[in-house]
Amino acid sequence: MAKSFGTTPSDLFPGPVTFIQLLRDFLVLAKARVVILLVFTAVVGELLAPESLPHWPTALAGLAGIALAGGAGGVLNQLVEPELDQYMRRTQRRPLANGRISRNGAILYAICMLLLSVAVLWFWTNPLTLILTLLGTVGYGVVYTLYLKPSTPWNIVWGGLAGALPPLIGWVAITNSFAPLPILLVALIFVWTPAHFWPLAIYCRRDYANACIPMLPVTHGIDRTRREIVRYAISTWLVSLAPVLYTHDWLYASIAGISGAWFVGMALHLRKLPEGEEMDRYARKMFAFSISYLFVLFTALILGKVAMAYGIL
């Protein structure tokens, strides 16, 4: 029976791989780098929640559940488009794209992670945390990958909502309730996502065109995409200052103001560059900076809370 389902080791992992290579492939398949960012923003949501430290077992369970569900979503994303990944320079070496892991192996991996996530969240957090986590997983792995990405150039805008949920999920894991502050953090990641991703889409526009994926630089051109990046960078800057209304944290306000101005400045510089290799290099640089920018903002929120708790501010 196992053989008919294709679950012998050679069926699941047809490539001749070592244990280290297999572990690396599992991490790539789960999009570990993306999951790290999701977990980090969820950690901040938990730490900002009132009386979070006494609930540390629940907090750890929430993070484990988010990580496992995020990994499952990453696998679902790659299960849908291994052929498309072969057209992209940055994805063509993924384990599904080049056949090191079979579809059955990837499906089994995703199912195990998703079931484990559901069990952890159900038994050690609360139903609302589980529901939000599943919404994020389905939103990215199914709605974005199957419907939004192949059909609209605004895919990353609406699809980004799934990746914006972890701060709220972290907060809900501790409090079992909603509040304005974590919702503002969801809004922050939501408006940050297009300004973060579209520079990479500019850099990879030829690959997206070859794969027939309607990313904004392919369908509307580079100039329109750069204008949208500026708009979303400014929106990110403004939304990043909104948490101060609830925290009255001026350390965070200072860091958000300065780093946001830098982000907007990069977007404006990208818009002015003539098309060519220099623009492509700068677009990739802005994409990398945008990840650091989000880490800085969320780290500043925690530093500000600690400073206020100890009377430094």
Side-chain angles (χ1 to χ4, degrees):
M1 186 172 181
K3 186 175 181 180
S4 64
F5 183 62
T7 56
T8 63
S10 60
D11 289 328
L12 298 178
F13 316 114
V17 295
T18 64
F19 173 78
I20 297 299
Q21 180 63 59
L22 186 60
L23 180 60
R24 289 174 180 168
D25 284 345
F26 278 149
L27 292 174
V28 171
L29 202 55
K31 294 195 171 182
R33 292 180 180 178
V34 175
V35 170
I36 289 171
L37 187 58
L38 297 178
V39 170
F40 174 70
T41 58
V43 167
V44 174
E46 291 182 342
L47 291 177
L48 290 176
E51 299 183 4
S52 56
L53 293 181
H55 298 89
W56 64 266
T58 301
L60 291 178
L63 297 179
I66 291 168
L68 289 164
V75 178
L76 290 175
N77 174 263
Q78 294 175 70
L79 274 167
V80 171
E81 48 191 36
E83 293 81 12
L84 296 181
D85 282 344
Q86 294 172 0
Y87 289 95
M88 305 284 293
R89 287 170 293 174
R90 69 184 184 90
T91 61
Q92 61 189 196
R93 293 183 59 82
R94 285 175 174 174
L96 269 173
N98 62 19
R100 292 197 306 275
I101 292 180
S102 70
R103 288 186 62 83
N104 282 345
I107 291 170
L108 183 62
Y109 181 38
I111 290 173
C112 289
M113 283 195 292
L114 191 58
L115 289 178
L116 189 55
S117 172
V118 169
V120 168
L121 295 175
W122 177 261
F123 287 109
W124 286 289
T125 62
N126 53 68
L128 186 55
T129 302
L130 174 59
I131 291 170
L132 288 173
T133 303
L134 290 179
L135 283 175
T137 303
V138 173
Y140 176 71
V142 179
V143 177
Y144 168 72
T145 304
L146 277 178
Y147 300 103
L148 295 175
K149 188 173 180 178
S151 62
T152 171
W154 306 103
N155 46 34
I156 199 64
V157 176
W158 302 112
L161 181 59
L165 290 176
L168 178 60
I169 297 173
W171 179 285
V172 168
I174 300 297
T175 67
N176 197 25
S177 63
F178 294 123
L181 181 56
I183 292 174
L184 279 176
L185 298 184
V186 171
L188 171 58
I189 299 176
F190 177 73
V191 297
W192 165 86
T193 300
H196 152 71
F197 185 81
W198 278 332
L200 179 65
I202 288 176
Y203 178 75
C204 298
R205 62 190 180 280
R206 298 176 185 87
D207 291 341
Y208 283 121
N210 290 336
C212 298
I213 299 174
M215 289 298 176
L216 193 63
V218 176
T219 60
H220 287 68
I222 292 174
D223 285 342
R224 172 65 183 277
T225 304
R226 291 190 289 189
R227 291 198 301 271
E228 294 296 336
I229 290 172
V230 171
R231 292 190 184 104
Y232 275 94
I234 293 172
S235 298
T236 302
W237 189 18
L238 295 175
V239 175
S240 73
L241 297 172
V244 181
L245 299 174
Y246 294 92
T247 63
H248 305 291
D249 176 0
W250 301 110
L251 173 63
Y252 169 78
S254 301
I255 294 173
I258 294 170
S259 59
W262 190 282
F263 191 48
V264 172
M266 292 190 74
L268 291 170
H269 184 67
L270 178 63
R271 183 179 178 183
K272 294 177 181 178
L273 288 174
E275 293 186 25
E277 291 184 6
E278 183 183 0
M279 182 200 69
D280 288 345
R281 287 195 299 270
Y282 195 81
R284 189 173 184 179
K285 179 181 178 181
M286 183 176 176
F287 167 76
F289 173 82
S290 67
I291 299 173
S292 301
Y293 170 50
L294 193 68
F295 269 103
V296 166
L297 288 177
F298 276 75
T299 301
L301 284 165
I302 299 305
L303 292 177
K305 181 175 181 179
V306 171
M308 293 179 71
Y310 284 93
I312 300 174
L313 294 178

